[in-house]
């Protein structure tokens, strides 16, 4: 729960500067039977009195509105917030009518003797307080929801663009001459030696591409689906690199229904393979595990080129930045990159499980 007081999310100073005197001008005419027959000068004391009352209940209702938003800031808490807002507003209107208003009336009567003759009853004053208070709160709520809707539409559009960019980037990275060349070279060498294993290689290669096509419309996938695709990709890499590459998956079953960004694991494994030396004397070891409710992909660091640590993170390119952007848009959560002289790790947040169809295995 947020600890700092929220703002109304827009500059309401002009609205208050104009609205309070305007409501103060109209209140006596609408509720207390006052007229303008004697002119504006004769009406001025009543206007000042009404404006003073309006100032109190306007600012009071504004504080009630802000406080309830502070207690219940999430969209999922809207019902609770509105119930509290209604209850506190009614209580404030009652207290204002019974205590503050009458004290203020007496002070104004002393300040303008002979001008203010009408002292409303409790029910009349309660009605005169409650109706403008409800209008005031309705204005703030409408503006707040309008801005929330506009922000949600903008965020949805940004997510859509990021998703499209991710699809194009993923397809470009996967269906590229290097990936196909390496896979086909491996398959060509494998067919004479082990035809049965060659068939499995083709099946796993097809599964990788099928997964890419199946997730192109999804914003998130289950960790179980992502791991299934990663295992197929791992099979291809094991045939290509053998004992020089090890990908260790250490994930408990109770985390498999959590959601992740599609192809995030495969992109991170690809980055590790792309940017590190893989040889008999320098095998690459990649770990995928859960720590503090986050998904970690970590590898030993043995860079192909003599780049700096900062350049290494930058060299991971569009893929990692795209993962970061999508997590930020989807859940407002960060993707951490931890680089040391010996290891490179990426920490992904696990998103809450949602009702989305699983991908066919």
């Amino acid at each position: 729960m947020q600890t700092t007081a929220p703002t109304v999310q827009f500059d309401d100073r002009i609205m208050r500067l104009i609205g309070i005197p305007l409501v103060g001008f109209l209140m006596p005419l609408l509720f207390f039977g006052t007229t303008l027959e004697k002119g504006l000068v004769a009406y001025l004391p009543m206007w000042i009195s009404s404006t003073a009352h309006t100032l109190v209940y306007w600012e009071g209702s504004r504080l009630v509105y802000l406080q309830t938003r502070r207690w219940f800031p999430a969209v999922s808490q809207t019902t609770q917030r509105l119930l509290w807002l209604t209850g506190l507003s009614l209580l404030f209107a009652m207290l204002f009518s019974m205590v503050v208003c009458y004290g203020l009336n007496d002070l104004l009567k002393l300040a303008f003797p002979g001008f203010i003759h009408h002292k409303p009853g409790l029910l009349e004053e309660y009605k005169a307080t409650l109706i403008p208070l409800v209008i005031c709160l309705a204005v703030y709520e409408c503006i707040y929801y309008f801005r929330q809707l506009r922000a949600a539409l903008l965020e949805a559009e940004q997510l859509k663009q990021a998703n499209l960019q991710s699809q194009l980037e993923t397809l470009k990275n996967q269906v590229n001459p290097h990936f196909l060349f390496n896979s086909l070279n491996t398959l060509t060498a494998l067919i004479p030696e082990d035809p049965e294993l060659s068939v499995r290689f083709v099946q796993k290669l097809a599964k990788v591409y099928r997964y890419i096509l199946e997730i192109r419309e999804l914003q998130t996938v289950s960790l179980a689906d992502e791991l299934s695709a990663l295992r197929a990709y791992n099979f291809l890499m094991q045939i290509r690199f053998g004992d020089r590459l090890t990908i260790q998956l250490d994930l408990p079953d109770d985390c498999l229904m959590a959601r992740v960004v599609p192809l995030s694991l495969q992109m991170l494994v690809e980055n590790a393979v792309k940017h590190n030396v893989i040889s008999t004397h320098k095998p690459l070891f990649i770990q995928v595990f859960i720590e503090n409710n986050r998904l970690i992909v970590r590898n030993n660091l043995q860079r192909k080129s003599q780049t700096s640590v900062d350049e290494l993170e930058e060299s991971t390119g569009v893929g990692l930045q795209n993962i970061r952007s999508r997590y930020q848009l989807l859940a407002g959560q960060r993707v951490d990159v931890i680089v040391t002289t010996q290891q490179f790790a990426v920490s992904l947040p696990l998103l809450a499980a949602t009702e989305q169809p699983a991908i066919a295995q």
Side-chain angles (χ1 to χ4, degrees):
M1 182 176 295
Q2 77 183 66
T3 56
T4 58
T7 64
V8 294
Q9 296 188 331
F10 69 99
D11 189 352
D12 64 336
R13 288 176 296 181
I14 295 179
M15 186 174 72
R16 291 152 71 193
L17 185 64
I18 298 175
I20 291 173
L22 179 60
V23 173
F25 181 86
L26 296 174
M27 286 287 291
L29 300 174
L30 296 176
F31 295 103
F32 301 139
T34 307
T35 66
L36 296 174
E37 293 177 352
K38 297 181 180 180
L40 288 176
V41 176
Y43 186 73
L44 182 60
M46 181 60 73
W47 185 7
I48 294 174
S49 172
S50 178
T51 300
H53 288 77
T54 303
L55 175 64
V56 175
Y57 65 67
W58 186 299
E59 292 301 314
S61 62
R62 184 176 182 272
L63 289 176
V64 169
Y65 166 76
L66 291 177
Q67 186 60 44
T68 54
R69 274 191 44 209
R70 179 181 180 182
W71 290 340
F72 308 104
V75 175
S76 60
Q77 298 173 308
T78 298
T79 301
Q80 294 170 275
R81 186 171 62 82
L82 290 178
L83 288 174
W84 274 89
L85 181 62
T86 301
L88 290 176
S89 298
L90 292 173
L91 179 61
F92 171 76
M94 183 179 298
L95 293 175
F96 177 83
S97 301
M98 294 176 62
V99 181
V100 181
C101 177
Y102 289 132
L104 193 59
N105 273 339
D106 292 337
L107 290 175
L108 290 169
K109 199 166 185 180
L110 290 174
F112 300 95
F115 285 93
I116 301 177
H117 304 289
H118 178 71
K119 187 172 183 178
L122 179 60
L123 183 60
E124 186 181 15
E125 185 61 49
Y126 185 72
K127 181 178 67 172
T129 301
L130 187 59
I131 293 177
L133 185 144
V134 170
I135 294 173
C136 175
L137 291 176
V139 169
Y140 278 104
E141 278 293 297
C142 288
I143 295 176
Y144 171 72
Y145 277 107
F146 173 78
R147 288 177 174 268
Q148 289 287 92
L149 176 61
R150 187 173 64 179
L153 292 175
L154 178 60
E155 186 177 70
E157 183 61 27
Q158 290 175 335
L159 184 58
K160 179 181 177 181
Q161 294 300 322
N163 197 30
L164 290 174
Q165 180 185 351
S166 175
Q167 294 171 26
L168 293 174
E169 188 62 32
T170 299
L171 289 172
K172 185 179 72 174
N173 286 339
Q174 294 298 327
V175 188
N176 64 71
H178 294 290
F179 181 78
L180 290 175
F181 178 78
N182 291 330
S183 297
L184 292 176
N185 266 353
T186 301
L187 182 60
T188 300
L190 189 62
I191 289 174
E193 298 179 4
D194 194 334
E196 184 177 343
L197 185 59
S198 302
V199 172
R200 291 182 61 198
F201 186 92
V202 173
Q203 290 173 339
K204 296 296 183 181
L205 184 61
K207 183 172 183 177
V208 170
Y209 282 101
R210 184 180 68 181
Y211 180 71
I212 295 171
L213 295 175
E214 287 177 338
I215 55 87
R216 59 184 175 178
E217 300 295 334
L218 301 178
Q219 295 176 352
T220 64
V221 294
S222 71
L223 182 55
D225 288 331
E226 187 77 356
L227 285 175
S228 178
L230 181 61
R231 289 189 180 98
Y233 180 79
N234 183 30
F235 180 89
L236 303 178
M237 295 297 100
Q238 290 296 320
I239 297 298
R240 178 181 170 191
F241 292 105
D243 294 337
R244 294 170 293 165
L245 173 65
T246 300
I247 302 177
Q248 178 181 322
L249 305 178
D250 186 13
L251 300 160
D253 292 341
D254 58 358
C255 292
L256 297 183
M257 293 309 296
R259 312 293 294 186
V260 294
V261 166
L263 287 173
S264 53
L265 290 183
Q266 187 170 321
M267 284 182 176
L268 295 177
V269 171
E270 279 186 280
N271 281 336
V273 172
K274 184 191 306 182
H275 298 291
N276 289 277
V277 173
I278 304 177
S279 66
T280 303
H281 299 294
K282 287 187 174 183
L284 183 64
F285 183 64
I286 302 174
Q287 293 175 283
V288 182
F289 58 97
I290 302 292
E291 185 175 87
N292 296 327
N293 201 37
R294 292 179 71 87
L295 182 61
I296 313 296
V297 180
R298 184 172 65 195
N299 62 272
N300 55 318
L301 191 55
Q302 40 199 37
R303 299 187 296 272
K304 287 184 178 179
S305 59
Q306 299 299 318
T307 55
S308 68
V309 170
D310 291 337
E311 290 172 333
L312 174 66
E313 181 177 342
E314 183 179 351
S315 70
T316 56
V318 176
L320 180 56
Q321 183 55 46
N322 189 271
I323 293 173
R324 279 174 158 165
S325 299
R326 295 175 73 193
Y327 269 108
Q328 181 62 39
L329 288 170
L330 277 170
Q333 298 189 48
R334 71 183 187 280
V335 171
D336 295 330
V337 178
I338 305 99
V339 186
T340 67
T341 56
Q342 296 181 330
Q343 292 183 329
F344 183 92
V346 178
S347 172
L348 305 176
L350 288 175
L351 307 180
T354 55
E355 294 296 327
Q356 295 193 31
I359 295 172
Q361 301 300 320

